[in-house]
RNA sequence: GGAGAAGUACCCAAGUCGGUCGAAGGGGACGGUUUGCUAAACCGUUAGUAGGGGCAACUCUAGCCGGGGUUCGAAUCCCCGCUUCUCCGCCA
């Protein structure tokens, strides 16, 4: 959600920035509604002041025995007029609100305009593995090693679900342990949130109403519940922990990480090349999250990217970091860096972490502020999130990177304390 | 799932028959005075917030869980939700 004052004071400036990620934009109606709203509000409030004044008078007049019949009927009329004003006001405000909430975040100044094609690789680490034998893809490997059961996963949940079996589950759990351990070391607070959230959570995160169809909703009895859904990422939960709260400045920054599976419909996004566990309806992810003061959020983003990178480095996987163009960032985010790991069989890089600065976009939607110690003023916090990391592309990457001609796989050293093995043989 | 109770400012809490109640009284916090010492007594301040109007001092409006309603007027009455607590039932 953007600040209407920003648009009111500098419509052209905001427009220029937003056009980096939008095709067209017109503020005329919004500004008109804004003027209309303020006029109507002034009118209605004047009437309310009058009503308050007279209502206070009535008991006194009654005690004195004055005739107040005409006064009462006048006030009845005033009341009706107020109601009338407020009804129009409500519809104008609804229009303003729905326009504002549909606007994406303003891209940071250093973010390039346009879509995916303008994403910029800012650095790479490691090298693509070279094989002296015909390498297998992760589906073949995971099947021959008995790590993942795709067929029975589909039997249980449908297409897009799989089962981690035996050592596959051990590997998955080892990855998660590795992440958890690193984040704890860095002083982040470990959160295990509910997986079912209410509508407001999706709204504050900026995912609703636009992407309301991309998540799984719970069917509720008539009038019961409040649009509960299963979370598509732990971010949705983490951003809402402090919804409608004012945080003391001294407590910032707040640094969290959470483990949850992520549940997504991913409707229509399946492609043959994304077989296996590259894209599914449910995947495991550890998510990092920070609430910061505005002046600290740029550095916090660097910190998050650095943390995500060091996790991939620790696994020894070749990756690159891309700064996304404005149009490729999710709507709530003003700046996003993706960490993409090399998947040999796909001959492509795939996202394993997305680190973003939401600036005050989410905190406005969720009404999350902090109180400055000196001025005692409340300001919106900045929110940042970054995967640290999503596992479903790492396991394929690990299998493919570290495979040998005989179908065995070397397990990255950082995971061995949990896997208890160095090499996995078919 | 069934029954009951409750939700008032940072916390606890009073609020009568609807009318100077935007809210008594505590505690805490902050400021001050005095006596003195790892404190005490006394005095004072302590809705915050959001949205309007005004250059400003200032002023208006809304806020007593949320949303509706009744009324000239609602913290107070009515309806619908949400949350918490207690008891019962069921259960990993």
């Amino acid at each position: 959600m953007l600040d209407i004052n920003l648009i009111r004071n500098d419509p052209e400036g905001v427009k220029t920035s937003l056009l980096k990620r939008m095709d067209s934009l017109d503020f005329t109606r919004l500004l008109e509604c804004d003027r209309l709203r303020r006029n109507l509000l002034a009118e209605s409030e004047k009437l309310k002041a009058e009503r308050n004044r007279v209502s206070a008078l009535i008991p006194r007049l009654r005690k004195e025995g004055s005739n107040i019949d005409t006064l009462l009927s006048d006030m009845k009329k005033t009341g009706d007029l107020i109601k009338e004003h407020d009804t129009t006001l409500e519809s104008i405000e609804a229009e303003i609100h729905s326009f504002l909430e549909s606007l994406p975040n303003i891209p940071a100044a250093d973010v390039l305009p346009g879509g995916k094609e303008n994403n910029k690789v800012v650095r790479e680490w490691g090298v693509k593995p070279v094989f002296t034998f015909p390498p297998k893809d992760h589906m073949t490997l995971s099947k021959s090693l008995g790590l993942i059961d795709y067929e029975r996963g589909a039997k249980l949940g449908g297409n897009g679900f799989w089962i981690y079996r035996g050592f596959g589950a051990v590997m998955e759990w080892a990855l998660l342990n590795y992440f958890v351990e690193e984040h704890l070391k860095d002083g982040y607070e470990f959160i295990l949130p509910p997986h079912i959230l209410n509508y407001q959570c999706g709204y504050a995160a900026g995912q609703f109403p636009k992407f309301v169809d991309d998540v799984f909703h719970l069917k509720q009895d008539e009038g019961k519940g409040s649009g509960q859904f299963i979370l598509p990422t732990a971010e949705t939960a983490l951003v809402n922990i402090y919804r409608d709260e004012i945080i003391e400045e001294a407590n910032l920054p707040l640094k969290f990480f959470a483990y949850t599976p992520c549940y997504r419909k991913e409707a229509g996004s399946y492609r043959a090349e994304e077989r296996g566990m590259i894209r599914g309806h449910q995947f495991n992810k550890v998510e990092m999250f920070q609430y910061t003061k505005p002046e600290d959020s740029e550095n916090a983003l660097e910190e998050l990217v650095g943390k995500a990178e060091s996790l991939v480095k620790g696994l020894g996987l070749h990756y690159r970091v891309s700064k996304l163009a404005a149009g490729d960032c999710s709507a709530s985010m003003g700046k996003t860096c993706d960490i993409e790991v090399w998947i040999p069989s796909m001959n492509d890089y795939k996202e394993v972490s997305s680190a973003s600065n939401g600036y005050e976009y989410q905190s406005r939607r969720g009404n999350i502020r902090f109180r400055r110690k000196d001025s005692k003023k409340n300001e919106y916090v900045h929110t940042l999130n970054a995967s640290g990391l999503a596992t479903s592309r790492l396991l394929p990457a690990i299998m493919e990177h570290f495979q040998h001609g005989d179908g065995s796989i070397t397990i990255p050293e950082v995971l061995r304390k949990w896997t208890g093995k160095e090499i996995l043989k078919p």
Side-chain angles (χ1 to χ4, degrees):
Chain A
M1 178 86 77
L2 301 183
D3 183 3
I4 189 158
N5 286 303
L6 213 60
I7 300 172
R8 201 185 280 156
N9 297 331
D10 181 20
E12 286 312 308
V14 175
K15 192 171 165 180
T16 312
S17 300
L18 283 178
L19 284 177
K20 283 163 80 174
R21 70 191 306 172
M22 298 174 80
D23 297 329
S24 65
L25 182 62
D26 188 358
F27 285 141
T28 4
R29 176 63 186 160
L30 176 73
L31 293 171
E32 188 187 319
C33 283
D34 183 46
R35 268 190 303 275
L36 214 59
R37 170 180 170 269
R38 284 190 284 173
N39 289 341
L40 221 52
L41 194 62
E43 189 63 32
S44 163
E45 290 188 347
K46 210 192 292 170
L47 290 172
K48 283 178 187 168
E50 172 70 5
R51 180 176 67 183
N52 286 346
R53 195 182 62 81
V54 173
S55 291
L57 227 54
I58 284 176
R60 213 176 311 156
L61 292 174
R62 184 173 279 160
K63 207 174 277 177
E64 289 166 6
S66 323
N67 186 330
I68 52 172
D69 290 352
T70 54
L71 207 53
L72 289 188
S73 70
D74 281 357
M75 280 303 103
K76 175 78 181 154
K77 272 181 227 154
T78 307
D80 291 343
L81 200 55
I82 289 172
K83 202 166 279 179
E84 210 175 288
H85 276 112
D86 284 354
T87 311
T88 5
L89 205 52
E90 206 174 303
S91 76
I92 290 173
E93 284 180 341
E95 190 176 339
I96 292 174
H97 198 256
S98 81
F99 181 83
L100 282 179
E101 75 180 13
S102 74
L103 292 176
N105 202 347
I106 294 177
D110 61 329
V111 168
L112 290 172
K116 241 185 179 61
E117 67 285 355
N118 288 346
N119 290 355
K120 262 253 164 354
V121 175
V122 293
R123 60 180 166 271
E124 295 189 15
W125 184 88
V127 288
K128 295 172 189 169
V130 180
F131 301 101
T132 55
F133 54 91
K136 301 189 176 86
D137 67 41
H138 66 274
M139 296 234 356
T140 313
L141 286 165
S142 61
K143 279 184 204 169
S144 66
L145 292 166
L147 304 182
I148 309 290
D149 190 337
Y150 293 104
E151 289 75 14
R152 292 193 181 86
K155 174 161 79 178
L156 265 54
N159 183 29
F161 293 95
W162 56 83
I163 304 174
Y164 295 92
R165 296 189 68 150
F167 207 77
V170 171
M171 285 284 287
E172 179 74 3
W173 214 244
L175 280 167
L176 295 169
N177 273 317
Y178 164 50
F179 304 152
V180 167
E181 188 175 73
E182 292 298 313
H183 297 320
L184 284 175
K185 225 182 272 175
D186 291 336
Y188 282 58
E189 183 182 343
F190 193 4
I191 303 287
L192 291 172
H195 295 186
I196 292 174
L197 304 173
N198 56 32
Y199 183 90
Q200 274 187 292
C201 291
Y203 179 81
Q207 289 142 356
F208 297 169
K210 208 170 174 185
F211 298 109
V212 77
D213 291 330
D214 294 352
V215 302
F216 293 105
H217 291 271
L218 262 56
K219 196 173 173 186
Q220 299 281 9
D221 296 338
E222 197 75 28
K224 285 276 182 186
S226 46
Q228 287 176 314
F229 62 97
I230 315 185
L231 50 65
T233 159
E235 174 200 344
T236 317
L238 293 171
V239 69
N240 278 282
I241 293 181
Y242 285 91
R243 166 154 47 90
D244 292 318
E245 292 194 35
I246 298 172
I247 303 163
E248 289 304 326
E249 181 180 359
N251 294 334
L252 292 176
L254 291 164
K255 301 181 179 185
F256 300 110
F257 73 98
Y259 157 70
T260 68
C262 302
Y263 305 91
R264 300 183 182 178
K265 281 193 177 169
E266 301 287 6
S269 62
Y270 278 97
R271 287 187 308 224
E273 62 173 27
E274 291 186 330
R275 287 173 317 140
M277 45 196 297
I278 298 300
R279 189 179 295 276
H281 291 306
Q282 176 189 325
F283 60 92
N284 290 317
K285 178 157 66 71
V286 170
E287 181 79 0
M288 306 182 269
F289 199 91
Q290 289 204 22
Y291 296 77
T292 75
K293 292 190 267 181
E295 62 270 29
D296 297 334
S297 72
E298 281 305 319
N299 288 336
L301 182 62
E302 291 305 310
E303 175 182 316
L304 291 172
V305 173
K307 274 173 63 62
E309 272 188 79
S310 85
L311 291 173
V312 188
K313 265 184 216 169
L315 293 167
L317 297 169
H318 168 52
Y319 71 85
R320 68 181 190 190
V321 181
S322 294
K323 185 154 90 180
L324 301 193
D328 202 26
C329 299
S330 55
S332 311
M333 299 301 153
K335 184 173 178 176
T336 298
C337 289
D338 274 5
I339 290 162
E340 301 164 314
V341 76
W342 176 249
I343 309 277
S345 67
M346 296 177 78
N347 196 36
D348 200 3
Y349 294 89
K350 280 284 155 189
E351 176 198 328
V352 292
S353 177
S354 191
S356 304
N357 192 345
Y359 301 100
E360 51 176 61
Y361 190 87
Q362 292 180 317
S363 58
R364 273 185 185 280
R365 290 174 88 96
N367 194 26
I368 309 164
R369 290 165 297 168
F370 74 101
R371 196 189 321 278
R372 287 256 185 224
K373 197 166 182 290
D374 296 335
S375 63
K376 302 261 186 234
K377 287 279 184 201
N378 297 329
E379 294 176 38
Y380 289 100
V381 299
H382 281 193
T383 57
L384 301 100
N385 68 282
S387 346
L389 301 164
T391 60
S392 58
R393 288 165 187 174
L394 287 175
L395 213 46
I398 289 169
M399 288 188 269
E400 293 192 17
H401 272 70
F402 305 128
Q403 61 178 307
H404 303 289
D406 63 354
S408 64
I409 289 167
T410 302
I411 294 168
E413 206 171 322
V414 291
L415 302 183
R416 288 181 197 161
K417 66 195 257 197
W418 292 289
T419 60
K421 289 189 197 182
E422 287 181 32
I423 288 210
L424 185 58
K425 292 184 177 137

